[in-house]
Amino acid sequence: MTLSALRVLLAMAVTIHVLLTKRDTAAAIGWIGMAALMPVLGSILYLMFGINRVKRLARKLVRQRGAPGSAPATRWQKSVEGRFAPLASMVGKLTSRSLVGGNNIEMLHDGDEAYPAMLDAIQRANTSVLLCSYIFRADRVGGLFIDALIDAHNRGVAVRVLVDGVGAGYFSCPTARRLRRAGVPCGRFMHSLLPWSMPFINLRNHRKSLIIDGVLGFIGGLNIGDENMVADRPRDPVSDTHFRVRGPIVRQLAAAFAWDWTFTEGEDLAGPTYFPDIDASGTDLMRIVTAGPDTDLEKIEFVMLQAMTLARSSIRLMTPYFLPGTRLSTELCLAALRGVTVDIVIPQRSNHVVMDWACRADIHPVLDAGCRVWSASPPFNHSKLLVVDREWSFVGSSNLDMRSLRLNFEINLETYNAEFSQRVDDFIVGHCDRRVTHHDLDKRNYLMKLRDSGARLLSPYL
């Protein structure tokens, strides 16, 4: 009798909490159903994986320190005129960040181009180095970065390194161990060996950024590891795109890192060491957009949706995983139906086979609406790029899947620069190697279709 009462109480407690906190109807029904069918196990799983502790901590930090995007306006604050003005206005209100001018951006391909530039910047640092990476291997390439960071620390540079608690190694993180042994502060984002203290399946920090002396920045999709040195022909090569930025935008990039660092380590990063006065380095208009399951919930997705509604001639996007969810999929379909050329570039084969299966079950609607889906030839390309009308671009760490858009902590950069956007657009077009058709999907046998549809159900957690 006592055990039966306990089961009822557990199921009721989970149900009440779900009803009060869950916005997603499907997720809410799933958790309530699990608690009803398996009250004890379902409650334990909900306690471990269903409660968003991150949002609670983020709200506490906002009360104490202000929102992460609430830096004071500077002389570099700009506005946009013309048909992208509504987008610029909306993103400003959404993110509480200003659109800033006076910037310069360069596109870097693979670790072959990006790593030497990043290592050289670390070696030249005078005051501070802030590095955030989802994956930071302790292999040959990782060792070069570790040595450069330790050397910078030893010559008096303020070095802070943040790696994800799972992406950089859950049970063991050799990179963090080596850096800490040398005295370099290295945080492991939301890491704990106790599962109930860290929702280790969800809520990962997927951001990749490097800020040097507060005046030079790197942002994009590039992790740190040997596999990104494509010219060296590693066993499983990963091609990717990274960006070097100079100008006032670096201050926003540093502020995003500082927020994550405070969130993880409790240390405030402030003052001219990290936020010096910055001079103009170009004419580009840019803004940082962060997203995560905290105060920035779904903001990258909202920016994408708004940009797509303004498209008149073309939408081109490149993503390693295409599981966009209903909202983005619908917007892409509507754009194609109103005559916009929509090109979606995905890898011929990614590094997660289950993602590939789920993707095949998710592209029928966009094909039906007239979107063109292309597969890029090997090596696997990990770039995350979006260009609208060859005038506006959105680049960074965010994949086009529900985990990335709604669960991970991500960071992107929007640019209102036609010349740069055209370079990114041409890069995407250059990877349109083979068009995916209805025939490709229809020729799968029954078991493959069943497998792919089953994998699609896991998309929120892939």
PDB file of all heavy atoms in Angstrom, residues 373-396:
ATOM      1  N   VAL A 373      17.905  20.216 -52.643  1.00  0.00           N
ATOM      2  CA  VAL A 373      18.799  19.641 -51.637  1.00  0.00           C
ATOM      3  C   VAL A 373      19.991  19.028 -52.350  1.00  0.00           C
ATOM      4  O   VAL A 373      19.827  18.261 -53.311  1.00  0.00           O
ATOM      5  CB  VAL A 373      18.075  18.591 -50.776  1.00  0.00           C
ATOM      6  CG1 VAL A 373      19.031  17.986 -49.742  1.00  0.00           C
ATOM      7  CG2 VAL A 373      16.857  19.207 -50.077  1.00  0.00           C
ATOM      8  N   TRP A 374      21.185  19.368 -51.878  1.00  0.00           N
ATOM      9  CA  TRP A 374      22.418  18.899 -52.505  1.00  0.00           C
ATOM     10  C   TRP A 374      23.273  18.163 -51.494  1.00  0.00           C
ATOM     11  O   TRP A 374      23.307  18.521 -50.313  1.00  0.00           O
ATOM     12  CB  TRP A 374      23.227  20.082 -53.046  1.00  0.00           C
ATOM     13  CG  TRP A 374      22.482  20.979 -53.984  1.00  0.00           C
ATOM     14  CD1 TRP A 374      21.664  22.017 -53.652  1.00  0.00           C
ATOM     15  CD2 TRP A 374      22.488  20.924 -55.411  1.00  0.00           C
ATOM     16  NE1 TRP A 374      21.158  22.624 -54.784  1.00  0.00           N
ATOM     17  CE2 TRP A 374      21.649  21.971 -55.876  1.00  0.00           C
ATOM     18  CE3 TRP A 374      23.126  20.101 -56.348  1.00  0.00           C
ATOM     19  CZ2 TRP A 374      21.425  22.211 -57.230  1.00  0.00           C
ATOM     20  CZ3 TRP A 374      22.907  20.338 -57.693  1.00  0.00           C
ATOM     21  CH2 TRP A 374      22.071  21.375 -58.122  1.00  0.00           C
ATOM     22  N   SER A 375      23.974  17.151 -51.962  1.00  0.00           N
ATOM     23  CA  SER A 375      24.948  16.467 -51.104  1.00  0.00           C
ATOM     24  C   SER A 375      26.346  16.902 -51.516  1.00  0.00           C
ATOM     25  O   SER A 375      26.673  16.957 -52.707  1.00  0.00           O
ATOM     26  CB  SER A 375      24.806  14.949 -51.203  1.00  0.00           C
ATOM     27  OG  SER A 375      25.131  14.495 -52.499  1.00  0.00           O
ATOM     28  N   ALA A 376      27.142  17.262 -50.500  1.00  0.00           N
ATOM     29  CA  ALA A 376      28.524  17.669 -50.732  1.00  0.00           C
ATOM     30  C   ALA A 376      29.433  16.445 -50.659  1.00  0.00           C
ATOM     31  O   ALA A 376      29.295  15.605 -49.769  1.00  0.00           O
ATOM     32  CB  ALA A 376      28.950  18.691 -49.691  1.00  0.00           C
ATOM     33  N   SER A 377      30.351  16.353 -51.599  1.00  0.00           N
ATOM     34  CA  SER A 377      31.268  15.221 -51.661  1.00  0.00           C
ATOM     35  C   SER A 377      32.210  15.222 -50.458  1.00  0.00           C
ATOM     36  O   SER A 377      32.458  16.270 -49.847  1.00  0.00           O
ATOM     37  CB  SER A 377      32.076  15.262 -52.960  1.00  0.00           C
ATOM     38  OG  SER A 377      31.215  15.240 -54.084  1.00  0.00           O
ATOM     39  N   PRO A 378      32.746  14.059 -50.097  1.00  0.00           N
ATOM     40  CA  PRO A 378      33.732  14.002 -49.008  1.00  0.00           C
ATOM     41  C   PRO A 378      34.915  14.903 -49.320  1.00  0.00           C
ATOM     42  O   PRO A 378      35.204  15.186 -50.485  1.00  0.00           O
ATOM     43  CB  PRO A 378      34.123  12.524 -48.989  1.00  0.00           C
ATOM     44  CG  PRO A 378      32.953  11.812 -49.621  1.00  0.00           C
ATOM     45  CD  PRO A 378      32.447  12.746 -50.672  1.00  0.00           C
ATOM     46  N   PRO A 379      35.607  15.377 -48.253  1.00  0.00           N
ATOM     47  CA  PRO A 379      35.423  14.995 -46.848  1.00  0.00           C
ATOM     48  C   PRO A 379      34.191  15.623 -46.228  1.00  0.00           C
ATOM     49  O   PRO A 379      33.666  16.617 -46.728  1.00  0.00           O
ATOM     50  CB  PRO A 379      36.706  15.525 -46.189  1.00  0.00           C
ATOM     51  CG  PRO A 379      37.086  16.706 -47.026  1.00  0.00           C
ATOM     52  CD  PRO A 379      36.739  16.311 -48.442  1.00  0.00           C
ATOM     53  N   PHE A 380      33.765  15.018 -45.131  1.00  0.00           N
ATOM     54  CA  PHE A 380      32.626  15.522 -44.381  1.00  0.00           C
ATOM     55  C   PHE A 380      32.829  16.995 -44.043  1.00  0.00           C
ATOM     56  O   PHE A 380      33.838  17.382 -43.468  1.00  0.00           O
ATOM     57  CB  PHE A 380      32.476  14.691 -43.095  1.00  0.00           C
ATOM     58  CG  PHE A 380      31.608  15.319 -42.046  1.00  0.00           C
ATOM     59  CD1 PHE A 380      30.307  15.718 -42.325  1.00  0.00           C
ATOM     60  CD2 PHE A 380      32.083  15.498 -40.758  1.00  0.00           C
ATOM     61  CE1 PHE A 380      29.510  16.295 -41.352  1.00  0.00           C
ATOM     62  CE2 PHE A 380      31.300  16.057 -39.768  1.00  0.00           C
ATOM     63  CZ  PHE A 380      30.012  16.458 -40.063  1.00  0.00           C
ATOM     64  N   ASN A 381      31.846  17.828 -44.444  1.00  0.00           N
ATOM     65  CA  ASN A 381      31.948  19.266 -44.198  1.00  0.00           C
ATOM     66  C   ASN A 381      31.065  19.653 -43.025  1.00  0.00           C
ATOM     67  O   ASN A 381      29.863  19.416 -43.031  1.00  0.00           O
ATOM     68  CB  ASN A 381      31.558  20.067 -45.443  1.00  0.00           C
ATOM     69  CG  ASN A 381      32.130  21.464 -45.410  1.00  0.00           C
ATOM     70  OD1 ASN A 381      31.841  22.234 -44.497  1.00  0.00           O
ATOM     71  ND2 ASN A 381      32.971  21.798 -46.389  1.00  0.00           N
ATOM     72  N   HIS A 382      31.674  20.278 -42.036  1.00  0.00           N
ATOM     73  CA  HIS A 382      31.046  20.622 -40.766  1.00  0.00           C
ATOM     74  C   HIS A 382      30.632  22.093 -40.708  1.00  0.00           C
ATOM     75  O   HIS A 382      30.251  22.599 -39.650  1.00  0.00           O
ATOM     76  CB  HIS A 382      32.059  20.298 -39.648  1.00  0.00           C
ATOM     77  CG  HIS A 382      31.495  20.291 -38.270  1.00  0.00           C
ATOM     78  ND1 HIS A 382      31.870  21.204 -37.306  1.00  0.00           N
ATOM     79  CD2 HIS A 382      30.592  19.471 -37.676  1.00  0.00           C
ATOM     80  CE1 HIS A 382      31.234  20.942 -36.172  1.00  0.00           C
ATOM     81  NE2 HIS A 382      30.447  19.906 -36.364  1.00  0.00           N
ATOM     82  N   SER A 383      30.657  22.799 -41.840  1.00  0.00           N
ATOM     83  CA  SER A 383      30.362  24.232 -41.873  1.00  0.00           C
ATOM     84  C   SER A 383      28.887  24.503 -41.596  1.00  0.00           C
ATOM     85  O   SER A 383      28.011  23.720 -41.979  1.00  0.00           O
ATOM     86  CB  SER A 383      30.731  24.815 -43.237  1.00  0.00           C
ATOM     87  OG  SER A 383      32.091  24.614 -43.528  1.00  0.00           O
ATOM     88  N   LYS A 384      28.613  25.649 -40.949  1.00  0.00           N
ATOM     89  CA  LYS A 384      27.248  26.074 -40.662  1.00  0.00           C
ATOM     90  C   LYS A 384      27.078  27.487 -41.220  1.00  0.00           C
ATOM     91  O   LYS A 384      27.510  28.471 -40.605  1.00  0.00           O
ATOM     92  CB  LYS A 384      26.986  26.096 -39.150  1.00  0.00           C
ATOM     93  CG  LYS A 384      27.359  24.795 -38.422  1.00  0.00           C
ATOM     94  CD  LYS A 384      28.698  24.905 -37.793  1.00  0.00           C
ATOM     95  CE  LYS A 384      29.006  23.850 -36.759  1.00  0.00           C
ATOM     96  NZ  LYS A 384      28.661  22.497 -36.995  1.00  0.00           N
ATOM     97  N   LEU A 385      26.431  27.597 -42.373  1.00  0.00           N
ATOM     98  CA  LEU A 385      26.383  28.859 -43.107  1.00  0.00           C
ATOM     99  C   LEU A 385      24.970  29.106 -43.636  1.00  0.00           C
ATOM    100  O   LEU A 385      24.304  28.178 -44.095  1.00  0.00           O
ATOM    101  CB  LEU A 385      27.358  28.836 -44.288  1.00  0.00           C
ATOM    102  CG  LEU A 385      28.785  28.331 -44.017  1.00  0.00           C
ATOM    103  CD1 LEU A 385      29.526  28.117 -45.328  1.00  0.00           C
ATOM    104  CD2 LEU A 385      29.530  29.314 -43.129  1.00  0.00           C
ATOM    105  N   LEU A 386      24.541  30.360 -43.582  1.00  0.00           N
ATOM    106  CA  LEU A 386      23.259  30.751 -44.152  1.00  0.00           C
ATOM    107  C   LEU A 386      23.422  32.111 -44.824  1.00  0.00           C
ATOM    108  O   LEU A 386      23.976  33.038 -44.223  1.00  0.00           O
ATOM    109  CB  LEU A 386      22.188  30.842 -43.052  1.00  0.00           C
ATOM    110  CG  LEU A 386      20.844  31.468 -43.443  1.00  0.00           C
ATOM    111  CD1 LEU A 386      20.136  30.635 -44.503  1.00  0.00           C
ATOM    112  CD2 LEU A 386      19.953  31.644 -42.208  1.00  0.00           C
ATOM    113  N   VAL A 387      22.956  32.221 -46.083  1.00  0.00           N
ATOM    114  CA  VAL A 387      23.016  33.489 -46.823  1.00  0.00           C
ATOM    115  C   VAL A 387      21.648  33.761 -47.442  1.00  0.00           C
ATOM    116  O   VAL A 387      21.043  32.864 -48.046  1.00  0.00           O
ATOM    117  CB  VAL A 387      24.089  33.452 -47.929  1.00  0.00           C
ATOM    118  CG1 VAL A 387      24.158  34.805 -48.640  1.00  0.00           C
ATOM    119  CG2 VAL A 387      25.456  33.091 -47.355  1.00  0.00           C
ATOM    120  N   VAL A 388      21.169  34.986 -47.310  1.00  0.00           N
ATOM    121  CA  VAL A 388      19.885  35.395 -47.882  1.00  0.00           C
ATOM    122  C   VAL A 388      20.136  36.473 -48.929  1.00  0.00           C
ATOM    123  O   VAL A 388      20.732  37.524 -48.625  1.00  0.00           O
ATOM    124  CB  VAL A 388      18.930  35.911 -46.787  1.00  0.00           C
ATOM    125  CG1 VAL A 388      17.660  36.475 -47.424  1.00  0.00           C
ATOM    126  CG2 VAL A 388      18.590  34.793 -45.808  1.00  0.00           C
ATOM    127  N   ASP A 389      19.720  36.192 -50.151  1.00  0.00           N
ATOM    128  CA  ASP A 389      19.794  37.156 -51.257  1.00  0.00           C
ATOM    129  C   ASP A 389      21.202  37.678 -51.507  1.00  0.00           C
ATOM    130  O   ASP A 389      21.373  38.786 -52.039  1.00  0.00           O
ATOM    131  CB  ASP A 389      18.841  38.332 -51.012  1.00  0.00           C
ATOM    132  CG  ASP A 389      17.382  37.924 -51.090  1.00  0.00           C
ATOM    133  OD1 ASP A 389      17.109  36.785 -51.515  1.00  0.00           O
ATOM    134  OD2 ASP A 389      16.512  38.735 -50.719  1.00  0.00           O
ATOM    135  N   ARG A 390      22.201  36.923 -51.102  1.00  0.00           N
ATOM    136  CA  ARG A 390      23.611  37.291 -51.304  1.00  0.00           C
ATOM    137  C   ARG A 390      23.951  38.641 -50.664  1.00  0.00           C
ATOM    138  O   ARG A 390      24.932  39.294 -51.032  1.00  0.00           O
ATOM    139  CB  ARG A 390      23.961  37.319 -52.803  1.00  0.00           C
ATOM    140  CG  ARG A 390      23.918  35.951 -53.458  1.00  0.00           C
ATOM    141  CD  ARG A 390      24.120  35.988 -54.956  1.00  0.00           C
ATOM    142  NE  ARG A 390      25.440  36.493 -55.357  1.00  0.00           N
ATOM    143  CZ  ARG A 390      26.543  35.745 -55.430  1.00  0.00           C
ATOM    144  NH1 ARG A 390      26.503  34.460 -55.091  1.00  0.00           N
ATOM    145  NH2 ARG A 390      27.685  36.275 -55.843  1.00  0.00           N
ATOM    146  N   GLU A 391      23.150  39.053 -49.672  1.00  0.00           N
ATOM    147  CA  GLU A 391      23.366  40.342 -49.010  1.00  0.00           C
ATOM    148  C   GLU A 391      23.536  40.215 -47.500  1.00  0.00           C
ATOM    149  O   GLU A 391      24.212  41.040 -46.884  1.00  0.00           O
ATOM    150  CB  GLU A 391      22.194  41.292 -49.297  1.00  0.00           C
ATOM    151  CG  GLU A 391      22.073  41.710 -50.751  1.00  0.00           C
ATOM    152  CD  GLU A 391      20.940  42.706 -50.945  1.00  0.00           C
ATOM    153  OE1 GLU A 391      20.710  43.533 -50.025  1.00  0.00           O
ATOM    154  OE2 GLU A 391      20.274  42.652 -51.992  1.00  0.00           O
ATOM    155  N   TRP A 392      22.916  39.223 -46.907  1.00  0.00           N
ATOM    156  CA  TRP A 392      22.965  39.021 -45.451  1.00  0.00           C
ATOM    157  C   TRP A 392      23.437  37.604 -45.177  1.00  0.00           C
ATOM    158  O   TRP A 392      23.000  36.661 -45.833  1.00  0.00           O
ATOM    159  CB  TRP A 392      21.573  39.238 -44.862  1.00  0.00           C
ATOM    160  CG  TRP A 392      21.478  39.003 -43.371  1.00  0.00           C
ATOM    161  CD1 TRP A 392      21.691  39.912 -42.378  1.00  0.00           C
ATOM    162  CD2 TRP A 392      21.124  37.767 -42.717  1.00  0.00           C
ATOM    163  NE1 TRP A 392      21.496  39.328 -41.145  1.00  0.00           N
ATOM    164  CE2 TRP A 392      21.149  38.013 -41.321  1.00  0.00           C
ATOM    165  CE3 TRP A 392      20.794  36.488 -43.173  1.00  0.00           C
ATOM    166  CZ2 TRP A 392      20.855  37.022 -40.387  1.00  0.00           C
ATOM    167  CZ3 TRP A 392      20.514  35.497 -42.237  1.00  0.00           C
ATOM    168  CH2 TRP A 392      20.539  35.773 -40.860  1.00  0.00           C
ATOM    169  N   SER A 393      24.320  37.462 -44.201  1.00  0.00           N
ATOM    170  CA  SER A 393      24.841  36.132 -43.888  1.00  0.00           C
ATOM    171  C   SER A 393      24.841  35.896 -42.389  1.00  0.00           C
ATOM    172  O   SER A 393      24.879  36.829 -41.579  1.00  0.00           O
ATOM    173  CB  SER A 393      26.256  35.960 -44.454  1.00  0.00           C
ATOM    174  OG  SER A 393      27.107  37.003 -44.047  1.00  0.00           O
ATOM    175  N   PHE A 394      24.807  34.619 -42.043  1.00  0.00           N
ATOM    176  CA  PHE A 394      24.706  34.178 -40.652  1.00  0.00           C
ATOM    177  C   PHE A 394      25.600  32.960 -40.513  1.00  0.00           C
ATOM    178  O   PHE A 394      25.346  31.909 -41.109  1.00  0.00           O
ATOM    179  CB  PHE A 394      23.250  33.831 -40.361  1.00  0.00           C
ATOM    180  CG  PHE A 394      22.857  33.854 -38.914  1.00  0.00           C
ATOM    181  CD1 PHE A 394      23.312  34.840 -38.054  1.00  0.00           C
ATOM    182  CD2 PHE A 394      21.986  32.891 -38.410  1.00  0.00           C
ATOM    183  CE1 PHE A 394      22.905  34.871 -36.730  1.00  0.00           C
ATOM    184  CE2 PHE A 394      21.581  32.913 -37.094  1.00  0.00           C
ATOM    185  CZ  PHE A 394      22.043  33.908 -36.246  1.00  0.00           C
ATOM    186  N   VAL A 395      26.673  33.087 -39.731  1.00  0.00           N
ATOM    187  CA  VAL A 395      27.669  32.024 -39.625  1.00  0.00           C
ATOM    188  C   VAL A 395      27.997  31.782 -38.154  1.00  0.00           C
ATOM    189  O   VAL A 395      27.779  32.649 -37.308  1.00  0.00           O
ATOM    190  CB  VAL A 395      28.962  32.378 -40.395  1.00  0.00           C
ATOM    191  CG1 VAL A 395      28.663  32.653 -41.870  1.00  0.00           C
ATOM    192  CG2 VAL A 395      29.663  33.595 -39.769  1.00  0.00           C
ATOM    193  N   GLY A 396      28.509  30.603 -37.853  1.00  0.00           N
ATOM    194  CA  GLY A 396      28.891  30.340 -36.474  1.00  0.00           C
ATOM    195  C   GLY A 396      28.882  28.875 -36.131  1.00  0.00           C
ATOM    196  O   GLY A 396      29.269  28.025 -36.931  1.00  0.00           O
TER     197      GLY A 396
END
